């Protein structure tokens, strides 16, 4: 049985303008890989209503689950929750469960639960909350879409809240072999190997270090024995890392 | 006149599995912003023919220009050039211009121009070459799509080859003000500012440092005078960085 599939939607002008380097994609990719969910596509769009709504509508249909990052804070450019509500055709307003958890927090903190902060208690109808142990204002899940914050620390905490609720697949076994030769040398034997081990994924990742070219070969598959056999063949062709 | 728009397509399993952290998106975003081209969307897809072809077909229609990264090396999983040819409905084969530049390089280097390396001289019909000053095997441009390598050093060199050929727009002026208060405090006055300066983009980027929340406000616009006026108002509301 193939693994469940996932897509990620990163929302935010700051990534597309180059102001901020995205970190959430890398984190989510690693967490999903560990539990055997295949991240198949990532999209990054700006804080633009039409772009967000149409991306959500297309990704939620195409993949088993969708994870969004960004645009759920209190400011005027945080429009993700409204866009998700629109994409699912449900209404959105301040919701009692989100309000309660936030009010309790601000009272305990001795700070004010301002109208602005109340914006973060706006949750689409039928959605369930995703816990935010960092700054309380929750994320939410509606059908197969998980809506989370963009600040990496909060995003990571929300991912940790969500992971135990996901049904994973067979985590891929993976082994890497480093060859100190360029891809031009490595490619032909690699192709033969790929034709023999059709149930393995054989990736070739070139690098350049101190002016010399090298290639990392990553062999992945559900069956560890197969992965080990293919790596052993590769090591026989390029002994001593091809030096 | 609005700025020209662009999209980026990152191709590679290694990004989606979390093995590699993408660096090219951040680089391209910065370079395009400098010359007034608005990067509107980024997609990351795996080394999968259907996913690549359909992403190219959709992005090339929707945006003024498209930049791809990855999948043009010599190995069996490098299928980008073939996918681009298919997306444009043109044929693809080893092309004399690409062959010549590569053959000259390998002869000068005293290394062999293997059949495997020759794969990198496969260029779609009607495409023009993009120079690769790092490792010679060229990228290419077909209509509004620029196809470049995934290795960051080579990607950056190809972007440098391409940039002078692009027609940019008005580069945005941008000013940032750091406020040592959380978004919950900053959001209300910010909304008033955004309603007053409708031709500026006012972004709010929360951060957390040593347990305290803060917000960076980035104000952007084509008109530097307007940006300065809005920043001055913000500084009057939160003097001394809101401390």
């Amino acid at each position: 049985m193939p693994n469940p599939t996932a897509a990620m939607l990163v929302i935010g002008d700051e990534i597309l303008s180059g102001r901020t380097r995205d970190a959430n994609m890398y984190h989510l990719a690693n967490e999903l890989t560990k539990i055997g969910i295949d991240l198949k596509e990532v999209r990054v769009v700006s804080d633009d209503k039409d772009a967000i709504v149409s991306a959500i509508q297309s990704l939620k249909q195409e993949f088993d689950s969708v994870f969004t990052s960004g645009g759920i804070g209190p400011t005027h450019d945080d429009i993700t929750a409204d866009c998700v509500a629109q994409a699912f055709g449900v209404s959105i307003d301040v919701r009692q469960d989100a309000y309660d958890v936030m009010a309790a927090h601000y009272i305990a903190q001795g700070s004010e639960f301002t109208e602005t902060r109340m914006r973060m208690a706006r949750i689409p109808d039928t959605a369930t909350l995703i816990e935010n142990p960092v700054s309380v204002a929750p994320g939410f899940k509606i059908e197969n879409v998980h809506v989370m914050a963009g600040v990496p620390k909060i995003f990571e905490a929300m991912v940790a809240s969500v992971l135990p609720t996901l049904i994973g697949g067979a985590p891929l076994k993976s082994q890497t072999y480093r060859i100190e030769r360029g891809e031009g040398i490595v490619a032909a034997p690699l192709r033969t190997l790929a034709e023999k081990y059709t149930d393995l994924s054989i990736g070739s990742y070139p690098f350049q270090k101190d002016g010399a070219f090298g290639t990392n070969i990553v062999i992945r598959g559900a069956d560890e024995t197969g992965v080990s056999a293919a790596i052993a063949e590769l090591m026989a062709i390029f002994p001593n890392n091809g030096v």
Side-chain angles (χ1 to χ4, degrees), chain A residues 173-196:
Chain A
K173 310 296 176 186
S174 165
Q175 290 183 39
T176 301
Y177 188 59
R178 180 185 170 110
I179 301 175
E180 306 290 347
R181 311 292 294 270
E183 274 198 307
I185 305 294
V186 173
L190 211 60
R191 173 182 294 272
T192 311
L193 209 62
E195 281 160 2
K196 179 171 173 187

Side-chain angles (χ1 to χ4, degrees), chain A residues 173-223:
Chain A
K173 310 296 176 186
S174 165
Q175 290 183 39
T176 301
Y177 188 59
R178 180 185 170 110
I179 301 175
E180 306 290 347
R181 311 292 294 270
E183 274 198 307
I185 305 294
V186 173
L190 211 60
R191 173 182 294 272
T192 311
L193 209 62
E195 281 160 2
K196 179 171 173 187
Y197 292 94
T198 50
D199 54 342
L200 301 180
S201 140
I202 303 184
S204 146
Y205 307 106
F207 62 86
Q208 203 187 357
K209 210 185 164 190
D210 306 329
F213 289 95
T215 313
N216 277 308
I217 308 299
V218 181
I219 304 188
R220 291 191 207 90
D223 166 34

Side-chain angles (χ1 to χ4, degrees), chain A residues 15-193:
Chain A
I15 311 287
L16 293 170
S17 71
R19 192 185 162 275
T20 303
R21 186 192 287 258
D22 172 70
N24 295 338
M25 176 167 91
Y26 182 68
H27 177 76
L28 184 69
N30 272 292
E31 294 303 307
L32 293 179
T33 298
K34 278 185 210 158
I35 60 169
I37 293 181
D38 293 350
L39 183 62
K40 289 291 192 185
E41 181 170 336
V42 178
R43 290 195 198 180
V44 187
V45 298
S46 63
D47 302 314
D48 173 83
K49 195 174 130 185
D50 294 343
I52 299 170
V53 171
S54 93
I56 289 169
Q57 284 177 333
S58 126
L59 296 174
K60 79 185 174 73
Q61 281 189 2
E62 204 174 338
F63 301 98
D64 294 328
S65 53
V66 177
F67 301 86
T68 80
S69 147
I72 62 167
T75 63
H76 62 283
D77 56 348
D78 289 308
I79 58 173
T80 300
D82 288 84
C83 293
V84 173
Q86 186 178 328
F88 280 96
V90 300
S91 60
I92 177 168
D93 208 339
V94 170
R95 243 192 26 198
Q96 196 62 44
D97 52 352
Y99 181 95
D100 289 348
V101 74
M102 290 174 69
H105 169 76
Y106 290 121
I107 288 167
Q109 244 196 3
S111 59
E112 207 189 335
F113 193 5
T114 59
E115 203 180 309
T116 305
R117 282 176 170 154
M118 240 172 261
R119 236 176 95 76
M120 293 189 284
R122 287 169 56 78
I123 305 287
D125 272 2
T126 75
T128 54
L129 303 186
I130 295 175
E131 200 191 344
N132 169 3
V134 175
S135 55
V136 183
F140 59 86
K141 179 193 173 192
I142 178 165
E143 292 183 25
N144 62 341
V145 177
H146 304 76
V147 177
M148 297 179 288
V151 178
K153 214 169 185 171
I154 306 176
F155 179 80
E156 288 167 24
M158 287 184 174
V159 169
S161 304
V162 163
L163 282 173
T165 70
L166 301 173
I167 295 163
L172 287 186
K173 310 296 176 186
S174 165
Q175 290 183 39
T176 301
Y177 188 59
R178 180 185 170 110
I179 301 175
E180 306 290 347
R181 311 292 294 270
E183 274 198 307
I185 305 294
V186 173
L190 211 60
R191 173 182 294 272
T192 311
L193 209 62

